[in-house]
Amino acid sequence: MVKSKVSKVDIMEKFGIARRTVNDICKVEDSLRQFKESKKERGTSSKLAKIKSMKTGSYQELDTALYVWFRQKREEGNPVTGPILMEKAQEFFERLYPESSKSFTASQGFQQKFCQRFGIKQLAICGEKLSGNSEAAECFVNEFKTMVEGFSYDQLFNADETGLYYKLLPKRTLSSKHNEPIGAKKPKERVTINACANAAGTIKLPLLMIGKAKKP
């Protein structure tokens, strides 16, 4: 704000801070901007975006190496748990600081603070991507191209099945302070749906439904 020719007095009145605080902010303005950009680059969570402190870890090279490794593993689709992260942190420390006189232990406290600094949170793994064989899939793509030579997209069909819990209610709801949402048991009634369409999207066959027998 100071660089945009806004007077310090206006800043003091708007934010209710003392002149000394404004002067201190001006001294580290470039660092503040770099800190803000680094949070954007990390894709930080909304909770981390509100943090105003620029406090970093005691071992910045370790933080950087560990975060780069973490991003690479997640982009490859590999799950990274807390123990795996701590084990890798210990390995990086021994590589980066072989002559350090300080002892270092990649504890749960280190993991928690590291995740807070980089906006990392624990989420459930969804989908079946890790169950597939990527090498075999690439080979099949090449084989499939040979198999379908001479056919148009209108002639190529694909069918797949999925489960439908037709009595299951949405997990989230709009709510006010007057009516707090109350949970209930999730119904397990399920049918199997088979969908089929051509590659061009011009033909979509009626859904095939497979229910359960009354007397299995």
Side-chain angles (χ1 to χ4, degrees):
M1 293 180 69
V2 175
K3 286 187 176 182
S4 60
K5 297 182 180 180
V6 179
S7 68
K8 293 183 179 181
V9 176
D10 292 339
I11 297 175
M12 292 163 55
E13 292 179 352
K14 182 175 181 178
F15 297 99
I17 55 179
R19 179 179 291 273
R20 181 178 179 180
T21 304
V22 176
N23 291 334
D24 290 341
I25 293 174
C26 292
K27 291 178 182 178
V28 295
E29 184 175 356
D30 292 338
S31 299
L32 286 170
R33 294 182 182 277
Q34 291 177 3
F35 179 69
K36 181 180 179 180
E37 291 300 321
S38 67
K39 289 196 293 183
K40 288 183 179 180
E41 189 275 331
R42 295 170 188 169
T44 54
S45 62
S46 57
K47 181 178 179 181
L48 186 64
K50 298 178 182 178
I51 294 178
K52 299 178 178 62
S53 172
M54 292 193 299
K55 186 177 180 180
T56 58
S58 302
Y59 305 96
Q60 293 190 29
E61 291 183 8
L62 171 61
D63 273 8
T64 302
L66 188 60
Y67 182 65
V68 170
W69 172 84
F70 171 80
R71 288 282 298 270
Q72 289 175 343
K73 290 300 176 183
R74 291 305 301 127
E75 288 172 3
E76 292 172 1
N78 299 322
V80 179
T81 62
I84 293 176
L85 188 73
M86 290 187 286
E87 182 180 352
K88 201 65 183 180
Q90 193 70 43
E91 178 185 334
F92 277 138
F93 177 83
E94 295 173 359
R95 288 185 179 183
L96 295 171
Y97 308 96
E99 300 178 358
S100 176
S101 58
K102 297 182 180 180
S103 60
F104 172 80
T105 302
S107 61
Q108 290 185 350
F110 167 83
Q111 176 205 333
Q112 182 179 3
K113 292 178 180 178
F114 174 83
C115 291
Q116 288 176 348
R117 287 195 295 272
F118 289 88
I120 299 171
K121 54 187 178 180
Q122 184 169 325
L123 298 175
I125 298 175
C126 302
E128 302 177 356
K129 182 177 179 180
L130 295 180
S131 302
N133 187 331
S134 57
E135 293 183 0
E138 291 179 3
C139 292
F140 177 76
V141 169
N142 296 328
E143 293 176 4
F144 185 74
K145 288 181 179 178
T146 303
M147 293 168 55
V148 299
E149 284 182 0
F151 293 93
S152 67
Y153 286 164
D154 292 315
Q155 296 172 303
L156 300 177
F157 285 78
N158 181 51
D160 199 4
E161 65 178 32
T162 183
L164 174 63
Y165 292 86
Y166 57 92
K167 288 188 178 181
L168 191 63
L169 297 174
K171 294 181 179 179
R172 296 180 178 274
T173 180
L174 297 176
S175 178
S176 69
K177 63 180 181 180
H178 302 291
N179 55 350
E180 293 293 332
I182 300 175
K185 285 187 176 181
K186 296 179 180 179
K188 298 182 179 180
E189 289 84 350
R190 177 182 184 272
V191 294
T192 301
I193 300 294
N194 188 77
C196 182
N198 65 353
T202 55
I203 301 176
K204 300 177 182 179
L205 300 182
L207 294 176
L208 174 64
M209 185 178 72
I210 305 173
K212 290 186 176 181
K214 287 185 178 181
K215 297 180 180 180

